[in-house]
Amino acid sequence: MNLKFRALDYTSEDSFVPADYEYIGDEATGWEIRRDGKTYMNLGPGYIPLETKSCGVCSTDIDRRFLPFPLPQIIGHEVLAEGLGDKRGRRYVVEINDTLEARGDKNLDEFCKAGIPTHSPERKVLGIDRLPGGFGPYILAPVHAAIEVTELSSKAAVLMEPFAAALQAILASPPKENDSVAVLGPRRLGSLILAALASYRKSKNSNFRITAITRHDHLVKLAKKMGADEVVDLRSTSAESLSETFDIVYDTTSTSSGFISALQFAKRELHLKTTNGQEMSGISHLTELVVDELSILPFSETNLEFKWKTEQKTNQSVFFFPSVFNLESKMNGTKKTFKGTALDGEKILASDEFQSTLPRFDIVVVGSPKELAEAIRPNPTHENSLVRPRGAILVDTSHSELWNDENKKVLEFFQKGKEIHTSRCGDFHFAIQLLKDNPGITQALEENLISHRFPSDQLLEAYAKAKDPSSVKVVVDFSPVI
């Protein structure tokens, strides 16, 4: 098959430039992707061509230039597409992670074997990391990442990727019975988290209270429609009055000020769902923290056993940074311990001891913001953390002299025993089923979330509108939506 088209590449200057693309190949033998007559990348077998029908604009698209992935690229990852050839007429939503498992490769790496294929270092990400995305008329999707949708409307289906990501936040940080939880910034992703919380509560027959926190008139109304029991308007309510009010705060603001507010409002836990790719409160690599779905917890014997509630594993390895070498003696031989600088940690993970196993530590212990940043990204030449995806970095809060005025609020947060958790992409199959089981939530998504639609030849206008606080979800259509 040979697909030729023109699309707009997104650049590091936050602008778009036209480029001519050509996809040459097939599912069985692989593909060559050509851009402006030159080879852009070669893909092996396991990809199917799909025709884009609609693609939503995400906060990640707006902040794409700050992410540590190469540009230019066709961005866009919230895709509803249609099959080609014998798949013509069938609608698909596309999970964004391009992994060995998603392509049907039999030679799985250690990340796939460990049940976290979406965290494999060899993955590409649709519309984010190299693989051309949904703001072009065609995409190449890993065969198992293309999920056919038959019962959901197109208006609901185009929201599947962000809804699944929102639901992942609830699964990673599930509210407890009688909790009071808050969604800070109920706009694009925040509204979806409200819907995910409401549908999760109904499906689990649980009892917790959902509050939305905003400062915009149109979001006050939207939040109620999307499942909030209460809406707090920060224009009429002081932030100080909300201090330690909510057991869990889901921060979707993607701003430094939002992050500081979330630290203040949370009684037990801050769930950081999206960031802007930049330093916040003097803490670096928070975007990468979210990408790896890592948690940051105060150091304790209990937290040495941290794992996601959905995981069946036992932590076996712990790495200590120099400022916390003294804590190694508290391990009592219960786990394999290692210590050193970030460089030492990388050398240990590359040694024979970690061959044929997941090359990450289960837990990393730090005592300063610098060590915290190095635990997340120890080396600027690659995107590998010292700690395994969905693992935890534990902070020893006794070294206050290593924290400055800018990040003291973060230190105080951990000194009170509070936790930061993160999440990224979600399970489409589970999300689709949840929407089928909750038609009221599905109807609310269809009727309220998409605020603006643009034809594909107005991508620049769509992108600009998505930056406007008056918009909620902007969708780009490559064909009329029924």
Side-chain angles (χ1 to χ4, degrees), residues 43-316:
L43 302 175
Y47 297 84
I48 60 173
L50 298 175
E51 184 176 2
T52 304
K53 309 310 286 183
S54 300
C55 186
V57 184
C58 173
S59 296
T60 300
D61 299 318
I62 292 172
D63 292 326
R64 174 63 179 84
R65 64 194 181 280
F66 299 118
L67 303 187
F69 307 117
L71 289 171
Q73 180 192 19
I74 303 176
I75 61 173
H77 56 276
E78 299 177 355
V79 180
L80 173 64
E82 183 176 311
L84 297 174
D86 61 355
K87 296 181 174 62
R88 175 66 71 180
R90 297 164 64 177
R91 296 180 309 145
Y92 295 88
V93 290
V94 183
E95 293 185 329
I96 67 176
N97 291 287
D98 172 11
T99 67
L100 293 165
E101 186 173 273
R103 299 191 293 270
D105 196 311
K106 302 300 182 184
N107 299 311
L108 301 180
D109 65 8
E110 296 301 328
F111 290 81
C112 294
K113 294 175 183 177
I116 46 174
T118 59
H119 289 285
S120 172
E122 67 83 42
R123 78 181 185 278
K124 296 177 285 292
V125 184
L126 179 72
I128 297 175
D129 182 7
R130 291 166 290 171
L131 192 64
F135 292 144
Y138 299 98
I139 63 170
L140 293 173
V143 61
H144 296 308
I147 299 168
E148 188 173 4
V149 286
T150 56
E151 299 180 35
L152 296 179
S153 70
S154 294
K155 290 180 180 179
V158 74
L159 300 172
M160 186 50 55
E161 194 283 330
F163 180 73
L167 187 58
Q168 183 80 338
I170 315 310
L171 298 178
S173 296
K176 298 177 181 179
E177 199 70 11
N178 298 317
D179 266 357
S180 176
V181 304
V183 177
L184 183 59
R187 192 179 168 206
R188 280 183 291 264
L189 182 56
S191 292
L192 286 159
I193 289 182
L194 288 173
L197 281 165
S199 56
Y200 179 88
R201 180 172 62 182
K202 183 177 180 181
S203 296
K204 295 290 185 181
N205 194 27
S206 185
N207 180 34
F208 55 85
R209 186 165 182 80
I210 305 169
T211 299
I213 304 175
T214 185
R215 57 175 74 250
H216 299 285
D217 287 332
H218 66 295
L219 297 185
V220 170
K221 298 176 182 177
L222 177 65
K224 281 282 190 180
K225 294 177 180 178
M226 298 310 295
D229 302 309
E230 178 186 12
V231 181
V232 174
D233 189 336
L234 289 176
R235 293 171 299 182
S236 56
T237 302
S238 70
E240 289 73 21
S241 68
L242 299 178
S243 181
E244 298 189 336
T245 296
F246 305 100
D247 297 284
I248 305 173
V249 175
Y250 301 91
D251 178 17
T252 69
T253 61
S254 192
T255 65
S256 296
S257 60
F259 179 66
I260 292 172
S261 294
L263 291 171
Q264 179 182 3
F265 300 161
K267 185 190 305 182
R268 184 177 74 236
E269 177 182 338
L270 188 170
H271 189 99
L272 189 60
K273 187 59 189 176
T274 183
T275 67
N276 57 17
Q278 302 172 77
E279 183 178 288
M280 296 199 298
S281 294
I283 306 298
S284 301
H285 299 311
L286 288 177
T287 293
E288 292 84 349
L289 187 86
V290 174
V291 167
D292 290 350
E293 298 186 301
L294 301 177
S295 296
I296 311 177
L297 318 174
F299 178 82
S300 71
E301 290 187 23
T302 299
N303 286 338
L304 285 167
E305 306 301 333
F306 170 81
K307 63 182 179 182
W308 276 33
K309 292 178 175 60
T310 55
E311 290 186 332
Q312 300 294 325
K313 77 179 310 299
T314 301
N315 293 335
Q316 298 179 7

Side-chain angles (χ1 to χ4, degrees), residues 394-450:
L394 306 189
V395 178
D396 175 23
T397 61
S398 64
H399 298 280
S400 58
E401 74 279 1
L402 301 177
W403 299 70
N404 58 36
D405 291 340
E406 187 178 8
N407 46 50
K408 273 287 170 60
K409 290 185 182 298
V410 180
L411 175 63
E412 292 168 359
F413 181 87
F414 294 125
Q415 285 175 331
K416 293 179 179 179
K418 302 178 188 181
E419 304 177 350
I420 293 177
H421 296 272
T422 71
S423 62
R424 190 164 54 96
C425 307
D427 184 332
F428 276 36
H429 296 282
F430 181 56
I432 290 171
Q433 189 59 52
L434 201 65
L435 288 181
K436 289 179 180 178
D437 293 342
N438 293 274
I441 297 296
T442 305
Q443 183 178 358
L445 291 176
E446 293 173 340
E447 294 178 354
N448 301 301
L449 195 62
I450 298 175

